[in-house]
Amino acid sequence: MNFAVLQFPASNCDQDALHVLKNVLGHSAWYAWHKDTSLGNADAIVIPGGFSYGDYLRTGAIARFSPIMQVVQNFAAQGGPVLGICNGFQILTEAGLLPGALVRNRSLQFRCEQVFLKTENNNTAFTQTIPPDKLLRVPIAHGEGCYFADPETLAKLNSTGQVLWRYVDAQGQQTEIANPNGSLENIAGICNEQRNVAGLMPHPERASESLLGSADGRLILESLVKWLEARQTQRAA
Amino acid sequence: MKAKIIITPKKAVVDPQGKTVQVALEHMGYKGVGAVHVGKYLEIELHGSDQEGARKQIDDACHKILSNPVIEDYRFEIE
């Protein structure tokens, strides 16, 4: 499969994402610079973490208007899968590709630690290979990861299965202590209504090799690969 | 002309910065301090003299990029 990994000034997880897609999962992956106006023949897009444009104004606010994001908008509108990680999630909400917003952590602290995620919907392009009831151990590293949405949006996310992951403790319980940033209802990641655009604050690409302490994050990227392969087979038939 | 824009967090959004400043003010002994909301202030210099045109343009910019309507409110004046 072919993956485009976006690069903005001050992206800093772009290399990690490319490494996992290319060297760990064995797929073709390349960078798409923020000024580019084409994604090549990418099957999927990963928007990596970082501090795009210095996080000036708001996280993701400036990146969202870069030339490459106009291409991403079209790609997503045609059903192409897009995964935003950390700053990538923030950019997707600013771009209106995902509902809600990410605001300052309730503690006002930058949190850099391991968390546990419970997958709420195992039937999407981003979650289908995650075994039911398996908790994902992945790291977070952010200062503005507190998920906010108005009550109507939140109700809709819940009723349509758009909440993909929540922060839980090691026993899988959704507690306040397990919530590292004050996100509403412990939300760590969501997808759009069409289920082809997803974002999460934790870093699956930093937990894709057991050498790094956890390979749980790989399940998210492998889900996407499996989904793309199924689509390819379907198209060929 | 100049646009003076004030952006504040919506009331429904938790504002930990405001809360922290409020606690600090109380701690320092200032009396009668209520809720604090920390926002942003922007000044934009504008060329030309078409106030109405400038108002429309700034309103559009506030809505599209300068604020995020999901979490923030804005108000501005042109002078």
Side-chain angles (χ1 to χ4, degrees):
Chain A
M1 291 300 146
N2 299 314
F3 289 86
V5 176
L6 304 197
Q7 262 185 334
F8 299 96
S11 290
N12 64 9
C13 300
D14 42 343
Q15 295 193 30
D16 304 54
L18 195 90
H19 164 72
V20 172
L21 293 166
K22 221 170 166 171
N23 305 327
V24 179
L25 299 178
H27 293 276
S28 151
W30 57 83
Y31 296 123
W33 183 234
H34 68 121
K35 286 182 178 167
D36 287 350
T37 51
S38 160
L39 292 159
N41 60 338
D43 299 303
I45 300 169
V46 174
I47 310 182
F51 298 86
S52 57
Y53 297 89
D55 274 354
Y56 294 158
L57 204 56
R58 293 177 309 280
T59 54
I62 313 277
R64 163 252 197 288
F65 288 101
S66 58
I68 196 70
M69 280 307 293
Q70 310 311 314
V71 186
V72 173
Q73 290 271 8
N74 294 337
F75 182 86
Q78 286 159 21
V82 181
L83 175 65
I85 301 167
C86 197
N87 192 220
F89 185 13
Q90 294 163 339
I91 293 169
L92 288 172
T93 58
E94 278 286 339
L97 285 167
L98 288 174
L102 282 315
V103 297
R104 279 289 281 278
N105 291 352
R106 203 165 288 195
S107 64
L108 291 174
Q109 292 169 328
F110 187 96
R111 299 287 295 262
C112 187
E113 62 203 40
Q114 297 285 336
V115 296
F116 286 99
L117 298 181
K118 184 181 171 196
T119 305
E120 295 282 357
N121 179 350
N122 293 66
N123 190 25
T124 73
F126 308 93
T127 55
Q128 57 177 339
T129 65
I130 302 170
D133 302 325
K134 176 170 173 64
L135 301 182
L136 304 180
R137 189 165 172 271
V138 286
I140 56 159
H142 60 250
E144 290 169 81
C146 174
Y147 183 74
F148 173 85
D150 60 49
E152 297 80 54
T153 307
L154 208 55
K156 186 166 168 270
L157 287 174
N158 281 314
S159 65
T160 53
Q162 287 175 252
V163 176
L164 299 187
W165 299 281
R166 292 186 206 271
Y167 300 107
V168 293
D169 63 18
Q171 283 72 46
Q173 299 302 310
Q174 187 185 320
T175 63
E176 205 179 319
I177 290 177
N179 186 346
N181 49 33
S183 287
L184 291 179
E185 299 183 6
N186 286 38
I187 290 174
I190 57 169
C191 69
N192 62 346
E193 212 175 339
Q194 294 74 32
R195 292 184 171 19
N196 66 311
V197 179
L200 76 167
M201 286 312 296
H203 287 274
E205 83 286 10
R206 293 191 197 172
S208 288
E209 291 161 276
S210 46
L211 182 68
L212 300 177
S214 169
D216 292 350
R218 211 169 136 161
L219 291 165
I220 294 174
L221 298 166
E222 282 172 347
S223 292
L224 187 49
V225 169
K226 192 180 160 192
W227 185 86
L228 289 169
E229 284 169 351
R231 188 180 68 170
Q232 199 174 48
T233 314
Q234 208 175 21
R235 279 181 179 173
Chain B
M1 289 188 299
K2 195 183 267 183
K4 295 181 169 181
I5 305 163
I6 292 174
I7 297 165
T8 51
K10 275 191 197 298
K11 293 284 182 291
V13 180
V14 176
D15 179 10
Q17 259 193 110
K19 186 74 196 156
T20 304
V21 173
Q22 183 189 344
V23 170
L25 290 171
E26 286 165 357
H27 192 70
M28 288 167 74
Y30 292 104
K31 303 290 178 213
V33 173
V36 177
H37 304 285
V38 178
K40 285 179 200 138
Y41 174 70
L42 284 85
E43 257 186 25
I44 301 179
E45 287 176 25
L46 301 164
H47 303 301
S49 57
D50 174 13
Q51 284 232 6
E52 208 29 56
R55 185 167 296 279
K56 273 190 190 137
Q57 202 167 272
I58 291 295
D59 190 57
D60 191 58
C62 280
H63 193 76
K64 278 191 187 148
I65 180 166
L66 300 179
S67 82
N68 179 344
V70 177
I71 48 170
E72 294 168 323
D73 292 319
Y74 66 85
R75 59 183 190 272
F76 66 87
E77 48 191 51
I78 309 274
E79 57 180 50

